[in-house]
Amino acid sequence: MLIIPVKEGENIERALKRYKKKFEKTNVMRQLRDRQQFTKPSVENRQEKIRAAYKQRLRSEEI
């Protein structure tokens, strides 16, 4: 659970902004989305290899 201490005289909008930033840094939503559907490790490895090849292709075309 995230706790954001609100300073005296601080605007509530500013405190909400700090809360949102802290929430985003914890990657809670990303974890929830990942847990919704299980992907086999072999599929994840294949996707990583495809991404790596794509990135390498882009970098080689730049040069």
Side-chain angles (χ1 to χ4, degrees):
M1 182 159 161
L2 295 175
I3 298 172
I4 306 293
V6 180
K7 299 170 187 166
E8 192 165 328
E10 184 180 18
N11 187 359
I12 192 70
E13 297 296 324
R14 195 147 188 76
L16 264 174
K17 189 174 184 178
R18 282 197 346 230
Y19 175 78
K20 287 178 184 179
K21 274 188 183 181
K22 200 170 196 181
F23 182 78
E24 196 168 305
K25 284 184 183 179
T26 58
N27 291 327
V28 174
M29 291 303 293
R30 183 177 300 272
Q31 288 175 357
L32 288 174
R33 287 190 199 114
D34 289 342
R35 290 181 189 171
Q36 284 181 350
Q37 183 177 359
F38 177 77
T39 55
K40 293 180 4 181
S42 61
V43 173
E44 288 180 1
N45 291 338
R46 190 178 328 128
Q47 287 176 344
E48 282 183 32
K49 287 180 184 178
I50 291 170
R51 280 191 208 110
Y54 175 75
K55 286 181 180 179
Q56 190 172 12
R57 213 175 314 122
L58 284 179
R59 288 187 183 130
S60 65
E61 288 176 1
E62 286 179 356
I63 297 173

